[in-house]
Amino acid sequence: MKIELNKEDVELFEGDLLVYFLRETGGNAVMCPCKVLRRNIKYAWKIGDFSGKKGETFLFYPAAASKDIKHNLAAGRVLAVGLGKTSEQPDALREQLRLAAGTAAQQAASLKVKSLLAVLPEHTGLVDADVAECISEGLLLGSYRFDRHKSKKKKDDEPVVKIETVALHTGGLDQDAVKQGLHRGERAAKAVCAARDMANEPGNVWTPKRFAEFGEKLAKEHGLECTVINKPEMRKLGMGGLLGVSQGSVQPPKLVVLRYQGSEEKKAPTLMLVGKGLTFDSGGISLKSPLGMEEMKYDMCGGAAVICAMQAIAEEKLKGINVVALIPASENLPSATALKPGDIITHFGGITSEIVNTDAEGRLILADALAYGITTYKPNAVVDLATLTGAVIIGLGHHRSGLLATDDALAAQINAAAERAGEPVWRLPLGPEYSKQIKSTVADIKNSGGKEAGTITAAAYLQEFVGDTPWAHLDIAGTAWGFTEKSYVPKGPSGIAVRTLLNLVRDWQVSKK
């Protein structure tokens, strides 16, 4: 689905649904630019049906107006969506717009409309480009559906109608700023939807090979550099983590590397992104419970977020920064050849690890990618994303991703990028007392520190492979699916962190200790 700018008069729009967004301001909530809507809203407000509260909607049909009331709208339906009360926090205002637009998208789906025109609200407290960006994101993300594997409906089934045309009207805002914001929002939403699609695909469809194919396609379309490291080269490089986790599966592992060159200057910063691409995780020999195991096709959401963020970064042609993305992709399955508890592996770079739990596999493939990427590309900073631990869900629920970092400035930048995206994070500590929990008596480290502080000790494992490079880890196990219920976030995969990473790159400042 594409979104476009409509430059015609609102009154001339003959499509299925015309949408206005109105602020909750008491009796002044009826003060909107359209006379017909104002008249109807005023009456609805008077009888208590609509006051502009967050998530509130009011639908009416202009053609059904009384004959003695002259209407000047050609649209089939008009929908008013409440924004709620104003806020002094720009990030809160951005989220209000996304939520309201998502509500409009949901209403459009229930009404089975094919064409929608949204009139951008004035006096929001945000610059015009941000208004267009957030409304675009909310409309497109709220319209997301995944039905690729549904068979054709029976003749007596109700037909599925999807929105075909979505457009924005400036509503009095600056046209150039609106156009800029629209494209920014569209690129971000398209990348998020691509990440959702990847996660929704079953494990027998989205395999490590598919990550490699997607990376190669991105490189071809957007001028990126793509390298895929296969199993034989992994053996030469000594990537014992990727090799060990994948050895129980017939699907060979892949390490997908994408490079975006936003600057030719030697002093230009390089940011490295690493995303866990575990396309199915049974737990291996340390087998998971069968209850809910089907959700382990989502264990690649970190990899999806990173590779789809690269799509948006390349489309936006961001300047002044170079970005390297690594997606270690594998399956974790039990078999006669699978990694066993008690085995010892050697990671890239020589660190040995005792495997005490084969279900703590994500850190093994991430460790190889981190060590290899830092050695090869020498980035100024590193951010990794992974559905790494169930412990983060116990601690933070499904409302915030866990953030752990060795650099305060980098952590602050990620926090700001996440708040702007409406994808909040919560920072957890690191320290030698946690690293002590993963010390092994027979190897350098072990891959589990026990139940206590499980999210932190998992990050402490990764910390062993980043050296002095500023590094941050996002544990998205609680937010990659089942995220906080929002109008623009569907049930199932959320596409979390794609927009956070995009914001981070857009606003990048080199982290200094």
Side-chain angles (χ1 to χ4, degrees):
M1 183 192 304
K2 293 193 68 174
I3 189 166
E4 57 191 27
L5 186 63
N6 186 312
K7 300 177 183 179
E8 297 180 348
D9 290 339
V10 173
E11 290 81 3
L12 300 178
F13 174 68
E14 296 180 342
D16 297 325
L17 185 64
L18 177 62
V19 181
Y20 284 90
F21 302 97
L22 303 178
R23 179 71 66 194
E24 180 185 4
T25 54
N28 291 326
V30 301
M31 297 304 295
C32 53
C34 174
K35 292 180 181 179
V36 180
L37 178 58
R38 185 160 65 243
R39 185 183 297 114
N40 281 270
I41 289 292
K42 186 174 182 179
Y43 183 73
W45 178 80
K46 183 178 179 181
I47 64 174
D49 283 358
F50 183 84
S51 62
K53 291 181 180 178
K54 175 184 173 182
E56 204 171 41
T57 61
F58 175 72
L59 179 71
F60 78 97
Y61 301 84
S66 176
K67 291 182 179 180
D68 61 342
I69 299 178
K70 184 180 179 180
H71 72 80
N72 59 347
L73 292 177
R77 307 170 185 83
V78 177
L79 177 70
V81 181
L83 291 169
K85 294 180 179 179
T86 190
S87 171
E88 295 182 357
Q89 300 296 325
D91 291 335
L93 294 173
R94 292 185 184 96
E95 185 69 353
Q96 284 181 340
L97 294 177
R98 280 189 289 263
L99 290 169
T103 297
Q106 288 184 340
Q107 287 286 313
S110 66
L111 294 167
K112 297 179 174 58
V113 306
K114 292 185 177 180
S115 57
L116 179 154
L117 175 62
V119 181
L120 297 179
E122 296 183 273
H123 313 299
T124 60
L126 297 172
V127 297
D128 294 355
D130 282 2
V131 175
E133 180 182 350
C134 294
I135 293 292
S136 298
E137 286 180 344
L139 288 171
L140 296 177
L141 294 176
S143 300
Y144 176 82
R145 301 289 183 276
F146 185 84
D147 55 9
R148 187 172 299 161
H149 298 290
K150 286 185 175 291
S151 58
K152 292 182 179 180
K153 298 274 186 178
K154 297 178 182 179
K155 291 183 179 180
D156 55 346
D157 285 345
E158 193 173 343
V160 176
V161 179
K162 294 184 178 181
I163 303 175
E164 297 174 357
T165 304
V166 178
L168 299 187
H169 190 279
T170 62
L173 304 185
D174 179 76
Q175 183 171 299
D176 290 338
V178 167
K179 189 175 181 180
Q180 179 191 27
L182 182 155
H183 290 314
R184 282 167 63 98
E186 182 182 28
R187 284 188 290 264
K190 188 168 69 171
V192 172
C193 290
R196 290 174 179 176
D197 282 348
M198 291 178 188
N200 269 311
E201 291 287 7
N204 63 327
V205 172
W206 196 265
T207 60
K209 182 181 178 182
R210 290 291 298 274
F211 265 123
E213 291 171 345
F214 189 87
E216 290 168 340
K217 182 182 177 183
L218 275 188
K220 185 176 180 179
E221 292 177 351
H222 299 293
L224 302 175
E225 180 184 317
C226 181
T227 302
V228 178
I229 297 176
N230 293 303
K231 197 170 183 177
E233 189 174 356
M234 288 179 191
R235 289 198 183 99
K236 293 179 182 178
L237 291 168
M239 293 183 171
L242 263 165
L243 291 168
V245 171
S246 65
Q247 69 189 43
S249 171
V250 297
Q251 294 288 344
K254 306 285 183 180
L255 178 56
V256 184
V257 183
L258 283 167
R259 296 183 68 187
Y260 169 79
Q261 196 81 10
S263 176
E264 298 293 338
E265 294 183 11
K266 291 183 179 180
K267 294 183 179 180
T270 295
L271 174 64
M272 190 172 91
L273 307 176
V274 182
K276 174 186 171 184
L278 220 295
T279 56
F280 190 80
D281 179 22
S282 69
I285 296 296
S286 305
L287 195 66
K288 293 178 182 291
S289 165
L291 183 63
M293 193 192 287
E294 72 279 2
E295 292 182 340
M296 289 300 98
K297 68 177 185 176
Y298 300 147
D299 213 16
M300 39 60 71
C301 285
V306 166
I307 203 167
C308 291
M310 289 297 284
Q311 171 184 304
I313 290 165
E315 288 180 349
E316 201 153 303
K317 296 180 172 60
L318 295 171
K319 302 296 183 183
I321 184 172
N322 301 319
V323 186
V324 180
L326 294 91
I327 300 91
S330 172
E331 289 184 333
N332 183 27
L333 298 176
S335 76
T337 59
L339 199 64
K340 306 178 296 297
D343 287 356
I344 294 176
I345 64 169
T346 303
H347 283 291
F348 176 90
I351 293 177
T352 59
S353 177
E354 178 192 6
I355 308 305
V356 297
N357 183 349
T358 65
D359 194 23
E361 84 302 322
R363 65 204 71 181
L364 303 182
I365 66 174
L366 286 171
D368 280 341
L370 286 166
Y372 172 78
I374 290 172
T375 300
T376 306
Y377 302 106
K378 298 176 175 55
N380 296 84
V382 180
V383 181
D384 79 72
L385 294 89
T387 50
L388 204 60
T389 68
V392 78
I393 305 175
I394 303 300
L396 300 177
H398 293 281
H399 309 299
R400 290 178 181 268
S401 300
L403 168 64
L404 300 99
T406 58
D407 184 89
D408 292 340
L410 178 60
Q413 286 178 254
I414 293 171
N415 184 70
E419 288 294 333
R420 184 182 178 92
E423 300 176 336
V425 299
W426 191 263
R427 190 175 181 184
L428 298 170
L430 286 167
E433 62 274 24
Y434 297 109
S435 297
K436 187 177 180 180
Q437 288 181 229
I438 60 167
K439 295 302 178 185
S440 169
T441 57
V442 294
D444 297 326
I445 52 178
K446 57 185 178 180
N447 77 325
S448 176
K451 292 183 178 180
E452 297 83 2
T455 300
I456 301 172
T457 56
Y461 189 95
L462 301 179
Q463 188 180 2
E464 297 286 328
F465 299 88
V466 298
D468 295 327
T469 304
W471 161 76
H473 163 68
L474 283 170
D475 193 333
I476 59 172
T479 52
W481 70 97
F483 186 40
T484 305
E485 185 176 347
K486 297 183 180 184
S487 60
Y488 65 89
V489 179
K491 291 182 179 179
S494 63
I496 199 78
V498 172
R499 291 182 300 115
T500 293
L501 292 178
L502 181 56
N503 287 339
L504 181 66
V505 177
R506 283 170 173 168
D507 301 327
W508 179 255
Q509 295 175 3
V510 179
S511 178
K512 294 181 180 180
K513 287 199 172 185

